[in-house]
């Protein structure tokens, strides 16, 4: 085994750990990896690219509850059985069955509804010259888009938002503290999903739930438990990540006002804006893998069972891969990993590009000179992050 120089170290469970920090950038300059209290963190783009596809690593997020002292219960059972963490044939089979529901041909006809929704929400506050962005736009937009996709009344969005946000606490550093309310919300979502399944079997519609209920390939179909787990994951992931990513986008554009002005003039750059925000400021700041067996990579010995965090946010601004790493809507960059990669690439990536790709240009056209105006509140800057409260002021466009 080769000897390697001492690597940087981070306690990534510490609530003060910040992915957007000089310490992490300095570590990336020093080494392609860092040691952490959970294993190894990969900091540079090329290494992240290689290891995302390395078959000596499997999905590692399944270990998240146990890493935090949660070894059983409702959340543990759901988390270890959902598509996000399944591996091998189980993962391949369920993904193969649910993938057609996410086809672009089902999403494109809904874009006009996304546009109307974004206009409606902006009209509610634009004349004031200020808003609390999470409350007034990001959360209702993300949740009502989800309601449109699922074919449920948009009036139910506050309930969906509350339940999804509460389940999202399980991905934070205080999972054990929050576990009781997480499991209560998960139980409500289970009941909600099961009612939707019964309804769509009786009265099919043109929506995601119906497409999942009737999914069948070569005589194979989703079981009731698989359907429920998939719907709960869709509700949680579809709302939580979009809300967070919209808030992070506004944070990014506040610091890049010329890019905001450009987006307001060029709505065709909407999906490029989504990619640039995901590259430089993603809500999912790392993806996790686990070594299947002992192996050596770039002179680093990685023992079987080691957790490997691939720091996708840090790698997305790696100057070795991006000589000009700042946000640039007109630039050409290597692919980002804001949607993960390999066999676990996010199924909902097209939906995210469609709904945020509509919302961001509309916001840029209607809100000029956007700036943060008041006390911000943020989730920890690691794992899954985003704003809890983001007060903005702006000049309404004529």
């Amino acid at each position: 085994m080769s000897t390697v120089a001492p690597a940087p170290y981070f306690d990534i469970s510490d609530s003060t750990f910040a992915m957007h920090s000089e310490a992490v950038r300095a570590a990336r300059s020093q080494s392609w990896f860092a040691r952490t209290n959970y294993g190894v963190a990969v900091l540079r783009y090329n290494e992240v690219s290689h290891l995302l596809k390395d078959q000596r690593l499997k999905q590692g997020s399944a270990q998240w509850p146990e890493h935090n002292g949660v070894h059983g219960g409702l959340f543990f059972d759901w988390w270890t059985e959902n598509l996000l963490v399944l591996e091998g044939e189980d993962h391949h089979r369920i993904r193969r069955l649910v993938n057609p529901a996410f086809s672009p041909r089902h999403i494109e006809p809904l874009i006009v509804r996304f546009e109307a929704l974004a206009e409606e929400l902006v009209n509610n506050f634009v004349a004031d010259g200020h808003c609390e962005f999470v409350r007034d736009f990001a959360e209702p937009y993300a949740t009502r888009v989800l309601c449109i996709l699922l074919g449920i009344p948009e009036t139910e969005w506050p309930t969906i938002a509350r339940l999804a946000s509460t389940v999202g606490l399980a991905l934070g550093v205080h999972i054990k503290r929050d576990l009781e309310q997480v499991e209560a919300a998960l139980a409500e979502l289970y009941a909600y999903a099961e009612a939707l399944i019964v309804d769509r079997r009786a009265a099919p519609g043109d929506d995601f739930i119906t497409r999942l209920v009737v999914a069948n390939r070569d005589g194979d179909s989703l079981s009731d438990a698989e359907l429920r787990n998939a719907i709960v994951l869709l509700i949680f992931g579809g709302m939580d990540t979009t809300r967070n990513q919209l808030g992070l986008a506004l944070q990014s554009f506040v610091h890049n006002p010329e890019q905001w002005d450009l987006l307001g003039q060029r709505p065709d750059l909407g999906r490029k804006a989504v990619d640039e925000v995901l590259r430089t400021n993603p809500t999912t700041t790392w993806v996790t893998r686990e070594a299947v067996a002992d192996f050596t990579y770039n002179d680093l010995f990685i023992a079987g069972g080691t957790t490997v965090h691939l720091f996708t946010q840090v790698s997305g601004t790696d100057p070795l891969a991006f000589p000009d790493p700042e946000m640039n809507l007109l630039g050409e960059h290597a692919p980002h990993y804001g949607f993960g990669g390999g066999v676990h690439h996010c199924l909902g990536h097209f939906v995210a590009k469609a709904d945020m790709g509509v919302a961001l240009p509309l916001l840029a056209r209607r809100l000029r000179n956007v700036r943060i105006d008041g006390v911000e509140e943020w989730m920890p800057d690691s794992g899954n992050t985003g704003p809890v409260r983001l007060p903005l002021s702006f000049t309404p466009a004529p």
Side-chain angles (χ1 to χ4, degrees):
M1 181 179 66
S2 302
T3 302
V4 296
Y9 176 84
F10 296 114
D11 179 353
I12 58 177
S13 63
D14 187 333
S15 60
T16 64
F17 171 73
M19 194 71 73
H20 290 272
S21 66
E22 184 55 42
V24 173
R25 287 189 291 271
R28 183 183 61 194
S29 298
Q30 174 188 340
S31 170
W32 67 267
F33 75 96
R35 305 281 183 184
T36 81
N37 51 318
Y38 286 149
V40 176
V42 183
L43 309 177
R44 294 180 182 168
Y45 181 85
N46 285 342
E47 285 78 4
V48 166
S49 299
H50 295 153
L51 290 172
L52 267 173
K53 305 173 185 70
D54 196 313
Q55 295 187 357
R56 295 171 295 184
L57 296 172
K58 67 177 183 178
Q59 173 63 278
S61 298
Q63 303 303 314
W64 174 252
E66 295 194 72
H67 280 321
N68 290 276
V70 178
H71 306 293
L74 192 63
F75 172 74
F76 178 91
D77 292 342
W78 171 70
W79 184 255
T80 53
E81 290 297 324
N82 76 56
L83 187 61
L84 188 66
V85 302
L86 288 175
E87 284 290 326
E89 181 53 34
D90 287 340
H91 174 268
H92 175 72
R93 173 183 159 271
I94 294 176
R95 189 177 178 103
R96 178 172 56 87
L97 287 167
V98 304
N99 192 54
F102 293 87
S103 168
R105 68 186 178 88
H106 296 309
I107 310 304
E108 290 288 355
L110 298 175
I111 286 178
V112 66
R113 293 184 64 185
F114 300 162
E115 290 174 334
L117 172 58
E119 288 277 13
E120 174 196 330
L121 292 171
V122 171
N123 286 341
N124 288 338
F125 62 77
V126 65
D128 299 333
H130 61 83
C131 69
E132 197 288 282
F133 185 72
V134 176
R135 178 197 65 208
D136 295 334
F137 189 88
E139 185 162 282
Y141 182 76
T143 317
R144 289 176 64 181
V145 162
L146 185 61
C147 290
I148 291 168
L149 293 170
L150 298 181
I152 61 180
E154 290 180 54
T155 52
E156 296 193 24
W157 81 262
T159 297
I160 297 295
R162 173 181 61 82
L163 295 175
S165 295
T166 305
V167 173
L169 295 173
L171 301 187
V173 295
H174 302 299
I175 175 175
K176 286 198 74 174
R177 181 196 69 189
D178 298 327
L179 187 61
E180 184 175 349
Q181 58 178 316
V182 166
E183 295 200 329
L186 190 56
E188 282 193 64
L189 277 177
Y190 270 14
Y192 197 92
E194 287 163 356
L196 284 173
I197 293 167
V198 170
D199 178 77
R200 294 307 190 274
R201 282 182 172 147
D206 183 17
D207 55 67
F208 265 42
I209 303 299
T210 298
R211 287 192 282 274
L212 291 178
V213 167
V214 302
N216 188 297
R217 291 290 186 88
D218 303 322
D220 188 17
S221 60
L222 297 168
S223 70
D224 285 356
E226 289 167 344
L227 269 172
R228 182 197 62 198
N229 285 357
I231 292 168
V232 170
L233 179 61
L234 178 61
I235 291 173
F236 158 63
M239 176 273 179
D240 202 60
T241 55
T242 301
R243 177 199 58 197
N244 293 343
Q245 196 62 68
L246 283 168
L248 289 160
L250 266 292
Q251 180 195 48
S252 293
F253 281 113
V254 164
H255 296 297
N256 293 274
E258 74 292 343
Q259 298 291 303
W260 187 242
D261 292 342
L262 174 63
L263 182 60
Q265 298 159 11
R266 293 275 308 273
D268 58 298
L269 294 173
R271 296 192 184 190
K272 181 62 179 291
V274 176
D275 278 325
E276 280 295 89
V277 172
L278 279 159
R279 178 179 69 84
T280 59
N281 197 13
T283 177
T284 302
T285 59
W286 70 56
V287 296
T288 306
R289 298 290 185 263
E290 181 182 320
V292 176
D294 296 356
F295 70 99
T296 299
Y297 179 80
N298 277 8
D299 291 333
L300 174 68
F301 175 73
I302 300 174
T306 298
T307 297
V308 180
H309 288 298
L310 305 171
F311 278 16
T312 47
Q313 186 277 322
V314 176
S315 71
T317 55
D318 177 5
L320 294 176
F322 305 96
D324 182 15
E326 299 304 315
M327 175 187 283
N328 182 356
L329 301 188
L330 298 178
E332 294 297 328
H333 293 299
H336 66 79
Y337 296 114
F339 290 120
V343 297
H344 285 280
H345 187 266
C346 176
L347 271 172
H349 70 280
F350 185 81
V351 178
K353 281 195 177 185
D355 61 15
M356 289 192 287
V358 164
L360 291 176
L362 187 147
L363 287 162
R365 176 170 57 83
R366 302 289 305 275
L367 316 181
R368 307 280 179 82
N369 306 313
V370 177
R371 53 211 178 271
I372 294 170
D373 184 18
V375 178
E376 309 162 65
E377 184 181 350
W378 292 82
M379 291 180 271
D381 185 23
S382 59
N384 278 35
T385 189
V388 177
R389 183 175 185 276
L390 186 62
L392 301 176
S393 59
F394 50 84
T395 304

